[in-house]
Amino acid sequence: MSKTIKLRKGLNIRIMGKAEAVLEEAPSAEQYALKPIDFPGLTPRLSVKQGQEVKAGEPLFYDKYHPEVFYVTPVAGTVSLINRGERRRILEVIVDADPSKGSVDFGKSDPQTMDEARVRELLLKSGMWPLIKRRPYGIVARPDEKPRDIFISGFDTAPLAPDYGFILKGQEKQFQAGINALAKLTSGKVWLGLPASGENKVFSQVKNVEINYFDGPHPAGNVGVQIHHIKPVNKGEVVWTVNPQDVAIIGKLFETGKVDFSKIVALTGSEVIHPRYVKIVSGTRLCPILEGKLKSENKQRVISGNPLTGTKLICDNFIGFYDAQITVIPEGDEYEFMGWALPGAQKYSASKAFLSALMPAKAYELTANLHGGERAFVMSGQYEKYLPMDLLPVHLLKSILVNDIDKMEQLGIYEVVEEDLALCEFACTSKIKVQEILRKGINTMVQEMG
Amino acid sequence: MKALRDFFEKTKPYVQKGAKYHWLHSTHDAFFTLAFVPKNTSKSGSHIHDHIDLKRTMSFVIIALLPALLFGMYNTGYQHFKAIGELASTGFFTVFFYGLLKVLPVVIVSYVVGLGVEFAFAQMRGHEVNEGFLVSGMLIPLVMPINTPLWMVAVATVFAVIFGKEVFGGTGMNIWNPALLARAFLFFAYPAQMSGDKVWVTLKDSDKVVDGFTGATPMADAAAGNIDFNVFDAFIGLIPGSIGETSTLAILLGAVFLIITGIGSWKIMVSTVAGGMLMGIILNLFAGVQGLSPAVAAYFSMPFWHHLVLGGFAFGAVFMATDPVSAAQTDTGKWIYGFLIGVTAILFRVVNPAYPEGMMLAILLMNTFAPLIDHYVVEANIKRRLKRVKVSA
């Protein structure tokens, strides 16, 4: 039985630069990359050497501790550079695209007639596996575990987030095939969360899933929030989550037998002249996509992902593995004379301490400026307003700061990842680095609990 | 503006680590960030941040305190001229300026001494200067009787900042409200100068007082069973008392401002008042009990809502109990914390003959218990979450 879950807490940040529902074909880039840093906690082992030719779908590296999990190249071509950082840590493996090298053929198949073992094997071999994340911890699913359930959020409520209804229009069949494949992997259900209002044409006909509707501001579209309200993750339980567009990518593999990492991303933000959707291939270099699309007056910050949780990049970098959004906002690294004392008609704030609170319909240009210095926790009750979950975010963060593993566990570290607490970080008066602290806690848990 | 910024930027190298004037770096930083919101941008996590910061939050509390401060100045003059019987012949501005000249030195001493200690500590520890004292520095004068000697204000401020805040690690880490600690310090260290009938109204030895003048606060009178104050005067604030606490009206204006802007916790304010009223009603019910002395019985039977306009109850509920650092931090905890402040404040006030004002002690007591209240709220949350496992199993 589907039900509608109403969430009151949260906030839709009124930021300018939402993408229009227009799709543009992006010029194909010459270079693509797969970045181990996109997968928290991964220790990669290279499968290729510099200069080696690869077909699309061939592994570039694999997980040291789970060698059956392949990370494959999205395009065919030549491995041109293996970029290393401190202590020779692999930062990115770059492939110069050459479509003539072709793709690995994994064979067409119908997931519904396959057994679980074969679906698992195919997903692992074809590099689809890393698209599946696990909770707790929000890291790549482990090949040797069977999830209690699989959760998919069919919508994203983050600031300027793409509309998956628009992105997946015309890919209903592939989405269904992806669902069918995932359904084989769990003894529980595949749960799909949809927005309570608006059209759900793409998703409403999907079979083999249990649909729930969510009504409320961001983070209602976060899969973690949805899991919490449908069937929370308790100690010892594991669930998996997949982004809806990635479900379709998995579906395409079964349909064609080949990997097809092309996807649609929203190009958003107040520094983009015409915020629209563009079709790209996963791992693309950003320059060709952004060229000619940006305003030129301000110093800019390019973000792979949304402004709350994305990664800061430069145009020469490559889009993140899981991201379906590129955001460009002003850097805002300027001093502001007596900025804290001005009435603030142009200053967006979730609090009511600025004149802007009297203009509730306006959208604002937000920059990457912190708007203040970092302080200790002073205000209370602030974070709770933006987390529609029955857990105490400040106490959880404090338990991480003092490294108390028992308390972290009791206070719900298994249920949250960075994106769930991102709004708290946005609204924080003391400018505390909430997401950084939370990831530190999660890393501790991974180390200590395995 | 450009010149000012250039000045700060040019002098910055001189206060950096290893430079000659490094011992001034916190001071430099404090004034620089006061004049200019820094250009720091997000390095990790969320790229966008709310415009609110601690400077704005604290300055909003000060704005909320302004009505009480201005009224306190006027009332200081009012009480003085009333005592010497010249009220009718003195103009409004004369009355106000008399009070201004009496109150301003207290405010200045509190800020200069307190910020001096803050800067010194920030310097020693290599921290940024915290904004917390901006509010404490205003609260301290407002809870002082007008006749408190300035050196006492200075000593109390030093005590409050060092032992109330810095020993715990600065703003955000303290257990007790620093301003109340300053008041409590003086109350116990110099009881003669902090209570009685002589401290609330400024009088020179040469001043002749009018007949019937006592200088006692209505609350002290009430504790003596002598309840004949005018409720309307007490609401407006034209009664003797600590500088900022007398006018319930001015405090109410501040409360409305704090609640609308969301800076102060309305939960704590409402629950404190509710707790106080409930205790007042209970005392009313027990007023007829045999064996009470007439004075106590009279205080017991005072209409419960009169407590709202007497003494520091309103000031404490709006500005002291709501201090986010020393109050309970959880939502449920705030309800309990505020309620208990209200109950104990009225209980101390009426039943304990040694202290005419219970609000200060009630808030300090609940500051002490706030972590315990939060502990049980957190434990309840943990239990509730554990229960889910049993339900789903």
Side-chain angles (χ1 to χ4, degrees):
Chain A
M1 248 315 276
S2 72
K3 53 182 176 179
T4 302
I5 294 160
K6 201 164 167 47
L7 304 174
R8 284 203 179 75
K9 293 177 172 183
L11 172 73
N12 289 327
I13 296 172
R14 297 199 308 276
I15 175 172
M16 287 195 313
K18 198 168 175 54
E20 235 185 303
V22 176
L23 181 61
E24 288 176 357
E25 199 80 27
S28 56
E30 283 161 11
Q31 290 191 317
Y32 294 81
L34 201 56
K35 300 179 284 183
I37 41 175
D38 283 346
F39 312 96
L42 170 69
T43 312
R45 280 278 175 273
L46 285 172
S47 332
V48 291
K49 289 196 188 77
Q50 200 162 320
Q52 188 175 330
E53 288 183 359
V54 286
K55 292 178 176 180
E58 262 186 67
L60 295 178
F61 50 83
Y62 59 89
D63 185 343
K64 179 184 173 187
Y65 300 105
H66 300 283
E68 60 272 45
V69 182
F70 287 175
Y71 293 78
V72 304
T73 171
V75 293
T78 313
V79 177
S80 62
L81 187 66
I82 293 159
N83 216 341
R84 290 177 185 269
E86 267 175 60
R87 294 164 71 197
R88 292 189 50 75
R89 189 171 152 218
I90 303 165
L91 297 179
E92 41 193 25
V93 180
I94 301 175
V95 177
D96 284 354
D98 178 2
S100 68
K101 299 284 185 301
S103 306
V104 182
D105 193 352
F106 295 99
K108 291 181 193 176
S109 45
D110 177 5
Q112 274 184 309
T113 62
M114 296 163 78
D115 63 9
E116 187 196 337
R118 275 182 58 210
V119 173
R120 266 177 195 263
E121 197 197 324
L122 181 58
L123 292 180
L124 284 164
K125 226 169 42 183
S126 63
M128 295 292 144
W129 194 266
L131 293 172
I132 306 170
K133 286 191 188 181
R134 80 195 285 268
R135 296 282 178 116
Y137 312 141
I139 55 178
V140 172
R142 290 175 185 161
D144 50 1
E145 70 194 2
K146 194 165 179 136
R148 191 198 69 198
D149 293 282
I150 295 177
F151 290 87
I152 297 160
S153 170
F155 67 117
D156 191 344
T157 46
L160 307 177
D163 172 7
Y164 284 114
F166 176 77
I167 286 180
L168 290 174
K169 209 180 337 170
Q171 298 192 56
E172 290 85 351
K173 244 178 71 191
Q174 289 85 345
F175 185 77
Q176 184 66 61
I179 295 280
N180 293 344
L182 290 171
K184 292 277 174 180
L185 303 179
T186 171
S187 44
K189 287 176 182 166
V190 178
W191 302 84
L192 179 61
L194 295 178
S197 57
E199 297 173 85
N200 300 308
K201 276 189 191 146
V202 176
F203 299 113
S204 53
Q205 304 304 319
V206 180
K207 293 178 192 71
N208 219 355
V209 291
E210 186 95 0
I211 294 181
N212 285 289
Y213 295 92
F214 291 85
D215 183 11
H218 184 59
N222 280 8
V223 70
V225 172
Q226 299 179 0
I227 297 170
H228 181 87
H229 287 278
I230 299 168
K231 225 177 157 188
V233 183
N234 296 304
K235 188 183 177 179
E237 295 177 337
V238 174
V239 302
W240 287 353
T241 68
V242 191
N243 178 297
Q245 185 161 226
D246 297 341
V247 175
I249 290 177
I250 294 173
K252 280 187 272 184
L253 171 81
F254 286 90
E255 198 183 53
T256 64
K258 291 174 182 160
V259 296
D260 177 358
F261 279 98
S262 62
K263 62 182 184 183
I264 296 171
V265 300
L267 182 54
T268 65
S270 57
E271 288 295 299
V272 180
I273 300 170
H274 297 295
R276 286 176 178 167
Y277 290 85
V278 285
K279 192 164 181 188
I280 59 151
V281 175
S282 179
T284 180
R285 211 156 75 96
L286 290 171
C287 275
I289 302 169
L290 298 177
E291 214 175 298
K293 301 256 168 72
L294 303 183
K295 298 173 186 171
S296 53
E297 303 91 75
N298 294 325
K299 194 174 163 193
Q300 292 159 339
R301 171 171 292 207
V302 178
I303 301 160
S304 174
N306 72 56
L308 283 180
T309 60
T311 319
K312 178 186 171 182
L313 297 176
I314 54 170
C315 145
D316 209 28
N317 293 147
F318 301 85
I319 190 170
F321 185 75
Y322 295 103
D323 296 330
Q325 182 179 3
I326 302 165
T327 310
V328 188
I329 57 173
E331 179 74 18
D333 55 344
E334 286 155 4
Y335 290 107
E336 194 189 0
F337 180 66
M338 295 303 271
W340 56 275
L342 298 173
Q346 294 303 323
K347 295 183 171 179
Y348 179 69
S349 173
S351 72
K352 295 188 192 74
F354 293 85
L355 261 190
S356 61
L358 300 175
M359 290 168 279
K362 223 178 131 191
Y364 295 83
E365 180 184 281
L366 300 183
T367 71
N369 194 299
L370 281 178
H371 305 303
E374 205 175 320
R375 296 289 183 267
F377 282 109
V378 171
M379 300 304 285
S380 64
Q382 211 172 17
Y383 289 16
E384 287 79 358
K385 279 193 271 184
Y386 304 110
L387 183 68
M389 291 181 165
D390 182 23
L391 54 83
L392 300 163
V394 178
H395 291 84
L396 174 61
L397 291 172
K398 286 185 176 172
S399 71
I400 295 172
L401 290 173
V402 299
N403 214 10
D404 182 341
I405 290 171
D406 284 343
K407 271 273 147 30
M408 288 188 225
E409 188 178 287
Q410 291 170 339
L411 291 168
I413 199 159
Y414 295 135
E415 293 195 58
V416 287
V417 296
E418 291 99 315
E419 60 173 16
D420 299 319
L421 292 183
L423 267 180
C424 305
E425 181 169 3
F426 169 80
C428 182
T429 304
S430 298
K431 315 291 175 190
I432 287 174
K433 291 174 177 158
V434 173
Q435 298 184 66
E436 197 179 299
I437 296 171
L438 181 59
R439 180 45 68 181
K440 201 183 123 221
I442 291 175
N443 287 343
T444 307
M445 293 307 284
V446 173
Q447 261 171 26
E448 299 289 326
M449 313 296 288
Chain B
M1 245 104 67
K2 180 87 172 63
L4 187 62
R5 206 177 77 202
D6 286 347
F7 168 75
F8 280 121
E9 278 186 336
K10 271 192 197 134
T11 48
K12 202 164 186 179
Y14 294 100
V15 296
Q16 259 151 18
K17 213 167 183 164
K20 191 173 172 193
Y21 296 105
H22 180 61
W23 57 277
L24 275 175
H25 77 99
S26 286
T27 315
H28 182 273
D29 179 79
F31 283 106
F32 196 5
T33 58
L34 187 72
F36 296 95
V37 172
K39 62 176 184 177
N40 300 350
T41 53
S42 150
K43 300 272 183 298
S44 78
S46 181
H47 298 271
I48 50 178
H49 282 82
D50 202 304
H51 270 91
I52 190 117
D53 70 345
L54 213 50
K55 283 195 177 62
R56 188 156 188 107
T57 307
M58 293 301 178
S59 56
F60 268 48
V61 182
I62 294 178
I63 294 174
L65 282 166
L66 285 182
L69 174 72
L70 293 175
F71 190 90
M73 289 173 174
Y74 176 75
N75 190 45
T76 301
Y78 179 92
Q79 295 303 331
H80 169 79
F81 288 108
K82 190 180 170 196
I84 59 175
E86 290 174 12
L87 194 59
S89 60
T90 316
F92 172 83
F93 286 102
T94 317
V95 173
F96 180 78
F97 275 110
Y98 177 86
L100 178 76
L101 292 178
K102 290 284 172 197
V103 173
L104 212 51
V106 188
V107 177
I108 292 171
V109 166
S110 153
Y111 269 115
V112 170
V113 172
L115 286 177
V117 178
E118 282 271 332
F119 274 71
F121 265 88
Q123 202 69 56
M124 271 162 53
R125 296 206 170 128
H127 284 177
E128 288 188 48
V129 177
N130 263 320
E131 289 84 356
F133 191 77
L134 293 179
V135 169
S136 305
M138 182 61 88
L139 287 173
I140 289 174
L142 291 184
V143 294
M144 293 292 165
I146 186 66
N147 285 349
T148 314
L150 291 180
W151 66 267
M152 276 191 204
V153 176
V155 170
T157 305
V158 171
F159 176 83
V161 174
I162 294 181
F163 291 95
K165 210 159 74 172
E166 295 302 341
V167 291
F168 297 105
T171 304
M173 317 285 187
N174 46 309
I175 299 176
W176 296 288
N177 184 321
L180 271 183
L181 216 55
R183 179 73 161 82
F185 172 76
L186 288 186
F187 188 82
F188 291 108
Y190 305 100
Q193 285 90 335
M194 290 302 288
S195 49
D197 296 347
K198 300 275 179 277
V199 301
W200 312 104
V201 180
T202 54
L203 290 172
K204 287 196 291 281
D205 291 342
S206 55
D207 285 334
K208 279 208 192 80
V209 298
V210 295
D211 287 346
F213 171 80
T214 64
T217 64
M219 202 172 54
D221 282 342
N226 192 3
I227 298 163
D228 65 343
F229 65 97
N230 181 327
V231 177
F232 185 72
D233 277 355
F235 175 72
I236 298 295
L238 297 171
I239 51 172
S242 296
I243 295 169
E245 71 171 19
T246 60
S247 174
T248 312
L249 176 66
I251 292 162
L252 209 54
L253 286 178
V256 169
F257 182 76
L258 286 181
I259 291 173
I260 286 179
T261 54
I263 303 278
S265 165
W266 62 272
K267 288 178 186 136
I268 294 179
M269 296 185 206
V270 168
S271 57
T272 304
V273 170
M277 292 303 88
L278 183 77
M279 196 63 222
I281 292 171
I282 292 174
L283 291 175
N284 282 176
L285 293 178
F286 281 88
V289 173
Q290 298 265 311
L292 292 176
S293 72
V296 175
Y299 206 1
F300 265 48
S301 61
M302 183 177 83
F304 63 91
W305 54 275
H306 285 190
H307 282 293
L308 282 182
V309 298
L310 281 188
F313 189 85
F315 193 84
V318 172
F319 295 114
M320 294 291 193
T322 54
D323 168 15
V325 177
S326 54
Q329 320 249 310
T330 54
D331 279 347
T332 319
K334 282 176 188 165
W335 288 112
I336 301 168
Y337 162 87
F339 186 79
L340 290 178
I341 287 180
V343 167
T344 44
I346 301 303
L347 190 68
F348 290 168
R349 180 184 271 189
V350 177
V351 177
N352 185 338
Y355 307 116
E357 177 51 302
M359 198 58 181
M360 170 183 83
L361 293 173
I363 295 175
L364 287 175
L365 186 69
M366 283 309 139
N367 282 171
T368 314
F369 281 116
L372 185 69
I373 296 172
D374 278 338
H375 172 78
Y376 282 106
V377 174
V378 172
E379 287 299 312
N381 177 273
I382 291 172
K383 278 211 189 96
R384 195 162 62 236
R385 296 159 48 73
L386 274 177
K387 230 182 193 165
R388 290 184 326 201
V389 187
K390 284 170 201 147
V391 171
S392 62

